[in-house]
Amino acid sequence: MDSTIRKSSGVQHHGIDKMFYKTMFKDLFADPCTVHFWDGEEEHYGSGESKFRLTFNEPIPKADIIADPSMAFGEAYMHGIIDIEGSVREAVESLYNNKNSFLRQGHLYNRALKLLSNNKKRSRENIEHHYDIGNEFYKLWLDETMTYSCGYFHSQDDTLCQAQKNKVDYILKKMNLKEGQTLLDIGCGWGQLILTAVKQYKVKALGVTLSSEQHDKVKERIKEEGLEDSLAVELRDYRELKDRTFDRIVSVGMLEHVGKDHLQEYFSHVSSMLKDGGVSLLHCITGIHEGAGGTNSWINKYIFPGGYIPSIQELVAHISGEELHLVDVESLRRHYGKTLEHWAQNFEEALPQIRKTKDEVFIRMWRMYLNSCAASFNSGNIDLHQFLFTKDITEDIPFCRDYLYRC
């Protein structure tokens, strides 16, 4: 008798959940879609042919969705509770494109996200969580330069590899490097930027990273290219660099790992390491809402622990707070959306190799991560900017911007 009561209660509970779902989906997406419920019933939402189809193999508790929609839907997709037929990116993009959707207001939920201070130990652990899962894994879906940041597409026909080389060239031009200068790359990744800088501009460069996998690969590349006299890489926190100054400092895709409480510390250290008249370029993801921290709870838990995406306002305030002079700000939002689309496609093509070492939960997690990030950039939910600034007034930046576009 007890089992009958429990079964009856479960059916009633699922019925309540289903009414909640049906109401929610009326205003959730900007495009027409079909929802297949756990009991076999299907509902069509919007007018016209469905762009994608969602299948709920079982309901997600209503309370979980209300408490934290990013976590609820992210975990549900990871564990196969939700399946998406069609493009995962287009489904998430449709959600973000509907500005009236309650899920579009993700920054309101993120205010409650507990952000732990990224001391040196925690920073190293956070970087290891994401970057030290194996160079062989990243090699399967990144381009041959092993560049894991936004590319720069001169045209829609550029390959991913060409776009990454374009990006490096563009950054080095922006800093107006000159032979014999010193360059520091904070968070140097697998080394493409510093290798290019040394070979093309004949500078002396230092790269620092907290990833042992990246550090070992960069050392290997330096040796292969015979650049030991001009280029070095160190496995250390940039805050540990003492009594060193540089003509140029660059950081690409690293600031997102610094954490809200350490943003001013980052710019303070850059200022102390930059020579008078020196130039620095910061390339990072930016959020729209000041103080909201563009990282959602699902990404913070599974992809980038300790991450924080600052708003443009915050960054400009920190730059001016150190009396650094902001010279140029440029959005590359569309370029990152396209870069992520390339990565997501490469990831799918590499699945036979990825499945040799990773389980299905990991694969679904990374598929959602790559596609949802592409959707976020394409819809303008997040952005990417390059900030060029100097220490003290300098004439070391050309008078007009045309120098950036000369081939």
Side-chain angles (χ1 to χ4, degrees), residues 77-80 83 347-348 351 354-368:
Y77 182 79
M78 282 172 58
H79 296 289
D83 287 314
F347 183 84
E348 295 300 327
L351 281 182
I354 294 172
R355 284 198 166 99
K356 292 177 182 178
T357 57
K358 308 297 181 185
D359 64 18
E360 201 62 27
V361 172
F362 178 93
I363 288 168
R364 291 173 72 97
M365 176 178 72
W366 271 78
R367 178 184 292 133
M368 176 57 70

Side-chain angles (χ1 to χ4, degrees), residues 319-335:
I319 290 170
S320 62
E322 292 298 323
E323 297 187 0
L324 297 165
H325 296 265
L326 186 59
V327 176
D328 186 78
V329 180
E330 181 178 8
S331 168
L332 299 183
R333 176 187 63 80
R334 295 165 66 189
H335 295 266

Side-chain angles (χ1 to χ4, degrees), residues 68-87:
D68 191 336
S70 294
M71 186 69 74
F73 283 108
E75 290 186 333
Y77 182 79
M78 282 172 58
H79 296 289
I81 295 171
I82 300 173
D83 287 314
I84 300 175
E85 184 179 320
S87 168

Side-chain angles (χ1 to χ4, degrees), residues 3 24 86 88 144 185 204 272 298-299 326 330 349 385:
S3 62
M24 176 178 67
V88 174
E144 45 264 53
D185 186 352
K204 291 189 176 296
S272 68
W298 181 78
I299 286 182
L326 186 59
E330 181 178 8
E349 293 173 356
H385 284 84

Side-chain angles (χ1 to χ4, degrees), residues 211-362:
S211 164
S212 58
E213 293 265 349
Q214 290 180 341
H215 170 263
D216 293 345
K217 184 62 178 179
V218 178
K219 283 194 73 173
E220 180 185 314
R221 294 180 73 180
I222 292 171
K223 186 174 181 180
E224 287 174 354
E225 303 257 9
L227 298 174
E228 295 93 334
D229 291 339
S230 302
L231 178 55
V233 60
E234 296 180 7
L235 183 64
R236 66 164 65 200
D237 192 297
Y238 75 97
R239 291 169 289 190
E240 296 172 352
L241 292 173
K242 303 293 184 183
D243 303 319
R244 299 282 299 274
T245 57
F246 302 85
D247 298 294
R248 301 287 188 267
I249 298 177
V250 64
S251 181
V252 179
M254 174 270 182
L255 193 78
E256 299 90 330
H257 301 288
V258 164
K260 183 177 176 62
D261 292 343
H262 294 275
L263 288 175
Q264 193 65 47
E265 181 181 31
Y266 170 83
F267 290 103
S268 176
H269 275 273
V270 168
S271 180
S272 68
M273 292 187 292
L274 200 58
K275 293 180 181 179
D276 290 344
V279 178
S280 181
L281 185 139
L282 171 66
H283 170 120
C284 69
I285 301 171
T286 53
I288 305 302
H289 302 279
E290 185 172 4
T295 303
N296 67 46
S297 55
W298 181 78
I299 286 182
N300 188 71
K301 179 177 180 179
Y302 290 101
I303 307 297
F304 287 119
Y308 176 78
I309 297 176
S311 68
I312 302 169
Q313 300 99 308
E314 287 177 281
L315 294 176
V316 171
H318 287 305
I319 290 170
S320 62
E322 292 298 323
E323 297 187 0
L324 297 165
H325 296 265
L326 186 59
V327 176
D328 186 78
V329 180
E330 181 178 8
S331 168
L332 299 183
R333 176 187 63 80
R334 295 165 66 189
H335 295 266
Y336 214 169
K338 192 167 181 62
T339 301
L340 279 149
E341 288 177 24
H342 275 281
W343 288 343
Q345 181 179 341
N346 291 350
F347 183 84
E348 295 300 327
E349 293 173 356
L351 281 182
Q353 291 87 1
I354 294 172
R355 284 198 166 99
K356 292 177 182 178
T357 57
K358 308 297 181 185
D359 64 18
E360 201 62 27
V361 172
F362 178 93

